[in-house]
Amino acid sequence: MADSSSGVTAQVIRKANMADVPAIQALVNHFAGQRLMLSRSLSEIYENIRDFFVIEKGGAVIGSAALHMFWADLAEVRALAVAEGYQKQGLGALLVAACRDEAVRMGIKRIFALTFQPGFFKEMGYSLISKDELPHKVWSDCIKCPMFPDCDETALILELQQPESETPSSMDGQKG
Ligand SMILES: CC(C)(COP(=O)(O)OP(=O)(O)OC[C@H]1O[C@@H](n2cnc3c(N)ncnc32)[C@H](O)[C@@H]1OP(=O)(O)O)[C@@H](O)C(=O)NCCC(=O)NCCS
């Protein structure tokens, strides 16, 4: 996958594998300890490892994000974290773009995020929505959260463009 390096040691963004799980958990739970995001158990990350992208530098995981499918047209970006010392260098944007590209490939039409960083997601093109607009299925996860029901995360959504090949062809209007 793409190499986003500008330094001596390359930063590589790629799909995660089982060996990354302890490092992903340490990264996410570091920020969860600061109440910036939700904590994740090892079991939850292992079970959902195919959702995850990581950014690796010098063998260390310095960024993570996951795209979790909810319904035929809906997915969530979650567990987004960039290690302190590597923030404000475009890596968060790279992770969110990787999730967006995968969503497009999968035929997803909308991605949402529940976050304490709405400003970042607005920069990424997401728009604020009311949490009530999210389908009930989303709340099956929320019920397990220690913050439920007093969650003060903000909901944002990104409507995805269909790829060129799936938009109505210019030939369509020329039949008959
Ligand atoms: C939020 C986070 C992932 C952003 O990652 P990052 O690598 O620092 O972000 P980027 O450098 O890719 O920033 C992309 C753009 O968003 C802006 N941005 C970054 N964080 C922002 C924030 N909190 N609020 C508003 N804008 C923000 C940047 O200025 C940049 O804008 P620019 O392109 O105009 O310069 C990172 O700060 C982080 O891991 N924070 C701790 C964990 C956390 O809060 N995770 C989110 C849970 S949903």
Side-chain angles (χ1 to χ4, degrees), residues 145-157:
C145 175
M147 292 187 200
F148 185 82
D150 301 315
C151 166
D152 51 2
E153 288 186 313
T154 300
L156 297 100
I157 199 145

Side-chain angles (χ1 to χ4, degrees), residues 86-132:
Y86 295 98
Q87 295 179 359
K88 306 278 180 197
Q89 298 174 27
L91 300 185
L94 201 61
L95 287 159
V96 169
C99 291
R100 182 202 59 214
D101 291 350
E102 183 166 76
V104 169
R105 265 197 318 277
M106 294 296 291
I108 291 287
K109 296 196 176 68
R110 297 179 302 148
I111 309 175
F112 72 92
L114 286 163
T115 182
F116 299 116
Q117 305 287 346
F120 170 79
F121 281 94
K122 282 188 200 168
E123 283 283 332
M124 301 296 108
Y126 285 64
S127 307
L128 293 172
I129 51 160
S130 161
K131 279 186 257 186
D132 299 339

